[in-house]
Amino acid sequence: IVTETGDTLVNSLIQYLKWLEFDKVINFDHTNSKPNVLEEDIQVELANGLLIIECKGIGGTSTDSDCSQVSKIKHRRCKERNKFDVKALYIVNHQRYLPPLSRQNPPFNEQQIQDAKNDERGLLSTWQLFNLYFEIEKGIITKEEARKSILEFGLIEFRPEGLSFVNEPTEILKDGKVCIVNIDNLPLSVNDELFIEKNGKFEKAILLEIRLNDTPLQTASQGELGLKLSSKIERKSILWKRITQ
């Protein structure tokens, strides 16, 4: 999904969507009775509607027309169904000749993202889906959360649910295993599950130790604290805590 285009990309995305446990995923190119009419590449039947997906593998980034083409198809499907229950998504494998880390991410400009929100359609890159696979495998985000996010408007973002903002560390020590943070009325306890966010990616970490003025604590909710984590944290990262219901 980060190298291909055409039918190979479509088939790979269909396999991925099935792995995400969407119940009915259809390669619409194989069922399209109007081959001369531009239609969606993939249809996903939902419990309460239909998701249509246009996907491209390109050497650059998407034009406004690339991003918005799926809107025309969405309106056509709504009219055919006599319902406003159709969701639309554009997925792009952009700059596919470049290594993914050298690509422009996200590959959409601010106007394209705003237009997608206004038109009630989604924008997504295959590089995001690539990273999502590993976040699901690590238990950072669930497949159910991912499926819900895919149906949102604008630039799709995959984030764990139920997170409460801790802070951005002011200092990083001990080769990234210790950080200094200021917290305000947020209870933290040893063995809490925290999330480290950097550039939109998440990693899990267990809070191993809390110190206030070099005094170890089991719990704290206020002040400048030293936190020892089970995973390395880098500068410009953000810490989150999962709030369980």
Side-chain angles (χ1 to χ4, degrees), residues 120-131:
E120 298 187 347
R121 52 183 166 80
L123 299 172
L124 180 62
S125 72
T126 58
W127 176 235
Q128 290 175 273
L129 293 175
F130 179 89
N131 289 313

Side-chain angles (χ1 to χ4, degrees), residues 9-196:
L9 177 60
V10 171
N11 291 329
S12 296
L13 288 172
I14 287 172
Q15 182 179 352
Y16 190 102
L17 292 165
K18 289 180 177 178
W19 174 77
L20 277 181
E21 298 177 6
F22 280 104
D23 289 333
K24 193 167 184 181
V25 185
I26 301 167
N27 186 330
F28 194 72
D29 282 342
H30 291 174
T31 61
N32 184 9
S33 60
K34 301 176 182 178
N36 295 324
V37 178
L38 184 60
E39 303 281 27
E40 65 268 34
D41 296 300
I42 301 170
Q43 285 189 352
V44 181
E45 292 191 14
L46 308 172
N48 57 351
L50 178 71
L51 170 64
I52 62 170
I53 301 173
E54 173 83 1
C55 53
K56 289 182 182 292
I58 55 179
T61 55
S62 302
T63 65
D64 293 351
S65 178
D66 290 334
C67 296
S68 63
Q69 177 61 41
V70 73
S71 287
K72 299 176 184 178
I73 306 171
K74 173 185 173 181
H75 295 316
R76 191 183 308 150
R77 293 286 169 263
C78 286
K79 188 170 183 180
E80 289 173 355
R81 295 163 65 85
N82 199 27
K83 293 181 180 179
F84 294 100
D85 64 349
V86 180
K87 297 184 180 294
L89 175 63
Y90 171 66
I91 303 178
V92 64
N93 177 25
H94 67 293
Q95 296 174 315
R96 66 189 189 92
Y97 302 113
L98 294 178
L101 291 177
S102 299
R103 301 178 188 182
Q104 174 186 322
N105 291 299
F108 310 105
N109 62 45
E110 290 183 9
Q111 190 60 56
Q112 289 171 341
I113 294 171
Q114 186 59 53
D115 287 344
K117 291 178 182 178
N118 295 342
D119 292 345
E120 298 187 347
R121 52 183 166 80
L123 299 172
L124 180 62
S125 72
T126 58
W127 176 235
Q128 290 175 273
L129 293 175
F130 179 89
N131 289 313
L132 174 64
Y133 171 84
F134 295 100
E135 292 188 344
I136 290 175
E137 289 293 292
K138 293 176 183 177
I140 293 170
I141 188 170
T142 67
K143 290 184 179 181
E144 181 181 6
E145 289 171 340
R147 292 195 304 272
K148 287 166 62 177
S149 295
I150 279 177
L151 302 180
E152 293 175 356
F153 306 140
L155 178 63
I156 303 300
E157 294 183 297
F158 298 106
R159 304 178 64 84
E161 294 182 354
L163 297 188
S164 183
F165 179 68
V166 177
N167 216 327
E168 180 180 327
T170 57
E171 294 183 60
I172 306 291
L173 308 167
K174 304 289 186 180
D175 195 31
K177 289 298 183 71
V178 174
C179 62
I180 307 298
V181 297
N182 287 285
I183 64 170
D184 183 16
N185 196 32
L186 176 71
L188 293 178
S189 300
V190 172
N191 294 323
D192 273 349
E193 183 180 72
L194 302 182
F195 288 81
I196 302 169

Side-chain angles (χ1 to χ4, degrees), residues 202-215:
F202 290 84
E203 293 285 344
K204 275 186 180 180
I206 302 300
L207 180 51
L208 302 177
E209 190 176 335
I210 303 172
R211 286 183 177 264
L212 176 63
N213 296 325
D214 210 31
T215 301

